[in-house]
Amino acid sequence: MLTVKNLNKVYSTGVEAIRDVSFDVRENEIVCLVGPSGAGKTTLLRCLSGLLDRSGGLVALDGQAVTEPPLRMAAVFQDYSRSLMPWYTVERNVALPLKNKFPSPADRRDRVNAALSAVGLDGFGSSYPWQLSGGMQQRVAIARAIAYEPEVLVMDEPFASVDAQTRADLEDLVLSVQAKTGTSVLLVTHDIDEAVYLADRVVILSSRPSRVLDIVDVDLPRPRDQIETKSLPRFAEYRSHVLRLVRGLGEAQDFSAATLIHNEEKTRSV
Ligand code: ADP
């Protein structure tokens, strides 16, 4: 669906943010990008959503080169307070990007209501963003993205500024919406537990200039559950593997199911 090939980005200041990054996001898949702070994750998302010029390499959506923000992609950024229009109601904020894609006003209204309902904001359509808590404002930003029905949903640290409980709720919201709609999701986070919990695959980036250190297939059962999934021995193995790489202590390794089962059995027998 989304292909990133040998992507490079050097800012005009001479800062080399991304070096030779390649990965893809398949249909109906959640890919999480993790890496240290300042690695170049936001730069990478901006380059692949057509918001920032690349210095080299290729980004393609369904085989078509991305040169400007593609209509089939929606983005949710960390800073919801800047992404919502404070002078528009919640409903109007969610409806904003829909006008060209869905010409019928009645259809748009239904989509806005369905998206607000999916994020647990029934009854808040006529409120203004500033009347809502931070977590609720972020839900509005997510509702806006899902109402649009993108083929690819790109999220940059979408839960970084909310409290832990809201964060867990929003993670589960993304999982349930993705399971319902089949949208491909690319999500940047520096939270390794979050990446392993959400992802089908985790792309691990090095410190700047960002390079791909490893791509880990996360073979944990779905639907996932905050308590059950995170208590699985395999969850802990994925987590330590990703953490070691992010901290620059480990090497890419075979994370196939067979190896994991073997390791689990070893742990049990000890
Ligand atoms: P991350 O999202 O992983 O924290 P960023 O993509 O924000 O990293 O930044 C990567 C590097 O690029 C940092 O060193 C940052 O200072 C630099 N950078 C980001 N934006 C710009 C810019 N507009 N001009 C010059 N350098 C930038």
Side-chain angles (χ1 to χ4, degrees):
M1 163 118 331
L2 180 72
T3 308
V4 179
K5 223 167 180 180
N6 308 114
L7 186 70
N8 292 302
K9 175 66 187 176
V10 182
Y11 282 107
S12 55
T13 52
V15 171
E16 185 185 12
I18 301 169
R19 184 184 292 176
D20 203 24
V21 163
S22 300
F23 66 92
D24 54 15
V25 182
R26 300 171 196 150
E27 225 165 287
N28 195 13
E29 181 185 48
I30 303 182
V31 172
C32 288
L33 280 172
V34 297
S37 231
K41 302 183 292 297
T42 298
T43 304
L44 180 55
L45 279 201
R46 289 201 180 129
C47 286
L48 64 80
S49 50
L51 293 167
L52 190 64
D53 285 340
R54 312 181 276 275
S55 308
L58 174 90
V59 177
L61 186 56
D62 272 339
Q64 283 192 319
V66 172
T67 50
E68 56 183 21
L71 286 176
R72 291 176 298 161
M73 192 185 271
V76 176
F77 293 103
Q78 174 181 347
D79 197 353
Y80 48 79
S81 58
R82 281 199 295 172
S83 72
L84 299 177
M85 308 290 181
W87 55 88
Y88 282 165
T89 60
V90 163
E91 249 160 22
R92 195 110 188 253
N93 267 285
V94 175
L96 263 180
L98 308 186
K99 204 157 185 177
N100 291 335
K101 189 166 175 184
F102 306 108
S104 146
D107 180 31
R108 284 204 297 274
R109 222 174 8 254
D110 289 348
R111 287 174 190 279
V112 169
N113 289 335
L116 286 175
S117 181
V119 301
L121 285 178
D122 277 316
F124 287 94
S126 44
S127 304
Y128 287 88
W130 44 269
Q131 295 176 307
L132 308 179
S133 69
M136 289 162 92
Q137 290 180 36
Q138 191 61 325
R139 280 170 202 263
V140 177
I142 295 171
R144 183 170 59 190
I146 60 180
Y148 184 74
E149 290 185 3
E151 284 167 43
V152 182
L153 176 58
V154 169
M155 305 177 105
D156 188 6
E157 299 268 10
F159 318 129
S161 16
V162 295
D163 62 84
Q165 183 54 48
T166 306
R167 184 171 193 136
D169 290 346
L170 291 178
E171 287 169 2
D172 288 338
L173 172 69
V174 166
L175 287 180
S176 70
V177 165
Q178 195 280 334
K180 259 187 241 151
T181 58
T183 303
S184 305
V185 176
L186 176 63
L187 185 144
V188 162
T189 177
H190 62 258
D191 183 324
I192 287 158
D193 281 41
E194 180 168 282
V196 173
Y197 179 63
L198 294 176
D200 292 298
R201 289 187 301 144
V202 179
V203 176
I204 306 161
L205 299 172
S206 70
S207 52
R208 191 169 64 77
S210 251
R211 285 163 293 113
V212 175
L213 293 176
D214 196 9
I215 299 180
V216 178
D217 282 306
V218 181
D219 185 20
L220 293 169
R222 290 189 189 273
R224 296 193 182 159
D225 177 272
Q226 292 282 354
I227 295 170
E228 305 242 317
T229 305
K230 289 181 179 172
S231 317
L232 294 171
R234 273 158 74 189
F235 182 88
E237 290 205 36
Y238 284 124
R239 183 181 181 283
S240 354
H241 173 64
V242 175
L243 185 60
R244 252 184 241 119
L245 281 167
V246 169
R247 291 196 172 166
L249 301 172
E251 284 175 8
Q253 49 175 265
D254 179 6
F255 249 67
S256 62
T259 318
L260 287 166
I261 289 161
H262 172 70
N263 289 347
E264 252 178 58
E265 279 167 359
K266 256 196 336 201
T267 316
R268 261 192 241 117
S269 63
V270 173

